[in-house]
Amino acid sequence: FLLFVSFGFGIYVGLNSAIPLQFLIYGAISLIIASLIFIRLNKTASTIAVFSAIVIIGILWATIRRDYFPPSHYLIQAGENPEKRMGYYGVVLERLGRRDYLVDACSLRVDSTFSEVSGRFIVKLPYDPEYPPQDVTLEYGQLLYLTGELSLLKKGTNFYVYDLTTRAIEKKSPAYVYMNEKDTLKVVGKGFGNPILSKFIVPLRAKIKGTIAQNFRGVYKELVEGIILGDKTGLPYSLRQKFSNAGVSHILAVSGLHMGIIIGFIFILFSTLLKGNYRAAVIPSIIGAFVYAFLVGLKPSSVRAAIMTSIFLLMFARGRNIVSFHSLGLAGFIILTINPAELLNPGFQLSFGAVWGILLLYPVVNRFFKKIFGVRRSVSSTYSLFSISLAAQMGTAAFVAL
């Protein structure tokens, strides 16, 4: 867990500073060599050198992922003055809001000439209720042709404000493409992107949404989609604000509770089908955890829950004790290694803060209430639930205050 904290601190520094790569590389190598030298002479000095090296590696990794663009990147191919209206071919990766989509660039048209490119950008559709046309439904894996004006992100990020720049950096997008009502938007192909997502996850998600639409109407449909799939894009802002003011917005965020219900059902089902063979039920349960994480869009809270659940099930199958702090740290380390900018996501901060608060503070808070109210079952179950909620709130208090 301390390794994750060190790595996360390095990521934070790397995202908010501009330290030369040569200095970081030499620093990391020097600290690793120092830790090996001191491992027998002075264990304390060796430990300090290891944690310092991990901080430097975190800074280095965040700097590389933030600033490095390959020669094929569309910003480089766009030329010296990229902020102009151009044509793009790209694959839809994710819906970010009512009118915002994350797109993976494939081809760029500059001065009537197309060239193959790479990189991501966020498309912002016009604020026109009739745009896009009703016969155009954007979803993962579609190949689009669109025109729009490329707008580079402002330099610098604010860790404490999740604004347009912060969101774009988290999604590995260095620019937005703004469209107006006169711009072109066409779906020219389907089935692109990851084949597992386009051929399995997307149809399954569409089927679940179709089932919800058959049984619910209006805002209730959007609410159920938010609870089950974590999709809040259809919910009115006023309703989301009411959830937030009431302090129950976590109901709309996919978390360990959702994952626990899904995996618990799968585990019991396969344990029953396999005639009580609990170990054999572990693998389908882990697969189910990650399928559900993909269904809800790989939100930080769902990925954390899937990783921690998988570690719990594997340790359970091998008959070993589970150290929750280690599994929490490993989950955070994996997420930040894949995408350092997830540290900027409020979902990441609140999810890990809440679990950290429960693991660290729940025993203390629960013992406090036990001394006051005693150990009677009728009372203990009530204050235990309250203790979990209070510990989670205490764990996220700093992030909420900021």
Side-chain angles (χ1 to χ4, degrees):
F1 181 78
L2 292 177
L3 293 178
F4 157 62
V5 173
S6 302
F7 187 66
F9 177 72
I11 295 292
Y12 168 75
V13 174
L15 292 173
N16 292 276
S17 63
I19 303 175
L21 287 179
Q22 296 90 336
F23 176 81
L24 295 172
I25 293 172
Y26 293 146
I29 294 174
S30 300
L31 287 168
I32 292 172
I33 293 174
S35 67
L36 295 174
I37 293 174
F38 285 113
I39 194 168
R40 291 186 178 181
L41 301 176
N42 190 323
K43 289 188 176 180
T44 302
S46 178
T47 302
I48 293 174
V50 168
F51 282 107
S52 300
I54 291 173
V55 172
I56 298 296
I57 291 171
I59 300 173
L60 176 64
W61 183 233
T63 303
I64 292 173
R65 292 298 298 268
R66 182 193 62 188
D67 296 337
Y68 174 73
F69 298 131
S72 62
H73 199 277
Y74 65 86
L75 287 183
I76 297 177
Q77 295 293 321
E80 297 180 356
N81 184 26
E83 297 196 11
K84 56 184 178 181
R85 197 165 297 280
M86 294 178 288
Y88 309 84
Y89 280 99
V91 177
V92 179
L93 296 180
E94 185 181 353
R95 183 182 182 185
L96 303 177
R98 284 180 175 270
R99 316 198 73 77
D100 296 359
Y101 292 85
L102 182 65
V103 175
D104 189 20
C106 301
S107 181
L108 172 67
R109 189 192 71 192
V110 181
D111 299 328
S112 72
T113 301
F114 280 95
S115 57
E116 292 186 6
V117 295
S118 61
R120 296 178 172 185
F121 58 83
I122 297 176
V123 176
K124 292 190 73 69
L125 301 183
Y127 289 98
D128 184 343
E130 297 183 0
Y131 198 98
Q134 294 183 357
D135 58 339
V136 177
T137 302
L138 303 184
E139 59 183 26
Y140 179 88
Q142 289 179 333
L143 178 63
L144 304 179
Y145 174 71
L146 59 97
T147 59
E149 181 179 350
L150 190 68
S151 177
L152 302 180
L153 295 180
K154 297 178 181 178
K155 295 292 183 181
T157 61
N158 189 341
F159 180 79
Y160 309 108
V161 178
Y162 193 65
D163 54 12
L164 292 177
T165 300
T166 306
R167 182 180 68 166
I169 290 174
E170 179 211 342
K171 297 300 179 182
K172 307 176 190 176
S173 167
Y176 279 82
V177 172
Y178 289 89
M179 300 181 64
N180 60 37
E181 293 80 0
K182 297 180 179 179
D183 279 314
T184 302
L185 177 63
K186 296 179 181 178
V187 177
V188 295
K190 295 182 179 181
F192 292 83
N194 188 298
I196 296 177
L197 292 178
S198 59
K199 297 183 183 301
F200 176 64
I201 298 296
V202 172
L204 179 59
R205 183 181 176 88
K207 190 171 184 179
I208 294 173
K209 282 193 169 187
T211 303
I212 294 173
Q214 290 176 1
N215 294 276
F216 299 92
R217 294 289 184 272
V219 69
Y220 299 103
K221 178 181 79 71
E222 309 295 348
L223 188 60
V224 173
E225 287 183 359
I227 294 173
I228 296 177
L229 296 174
D231 184 3
K232 302 185 287 290
T233 55
L235 281 174
Y237 174 78
S238 58
L239 181 59
R240 282 183 286 168
Q241 194 63 37
K242 289 179 181 178
F243 272 88
S244 179
N245 294 337
V248 292
S249 57
H250 60 277
I251 294 176
L252 302 176
V254 177
S255 62
L257 175 63
H258 298 70
M259 192 67 70
I261 294 172
I262 298 293
I263 303 311
F265 173 77
I266 295 174
F267 186 80
I268 293 173
L269 174 64
F270 277 90
S271 298
T272 304
L273 294 176
L274 298 172
K275 299 179 180 180
N277 189 344
Y278 296 110
R279 291 188 176 183
V282 166
I283 299 301
S285 299
I286 292 175
I287 294 173
F290 283 97
V291 167
Y292 184 62
F294 275 99
L295 274 175
V296 300
L298 293 178
K299 304 285 194 304
S301 57
S302 65
V303 177
R304 179 211 36 92
I307 294 173
M308 293 187 68
T309 301
S310 300
I311 295 172
F312 172 84
L313 291 172
L314 289 172
M315 294 298 101
F316 170 78
R318 300 187 66 177
R320 295 189 177 183
N321 293 328
I322 298 139
V323 182
S324 298
F325 275 109
H326 291 345
S327 61
L328 179 64
L330 179 60
F333 188 84
I334 291 173
I335 293 172
L336 293 182
T337 299
I338 295 172
N339 183 10
E342 286 289 2
L343 186 67
L344 303 172
N345 190 327
F348 178 93
Q349 300 166 17
L350 295 175
S351 176
F352 278 83
V355 176
W356 174 83
I358 292 171
L359 295 178
L360 184 67
L361 302 176
Y362 167 72
V364 178
V365 175
N366 198 54
R367 281 198 300 269
F368 172 77
F369 285 118
K370 186 180 292 185
K371 290 180 180 179
I372 297 177
F373 298 106
V375 295
R376 289 177 298 173
R377 180 175 297 181
S378 59
V379 180
S380 63
S381 58
T382 301
Y383 68 65
S384 292
L385 292 174
F386 179 76
S387 298
I388 292 176
S389 178
L390 181 59
Q393 294 287 344
M394 293 170 69
T396 60
F399 297 110
V400 173
L402 293 173

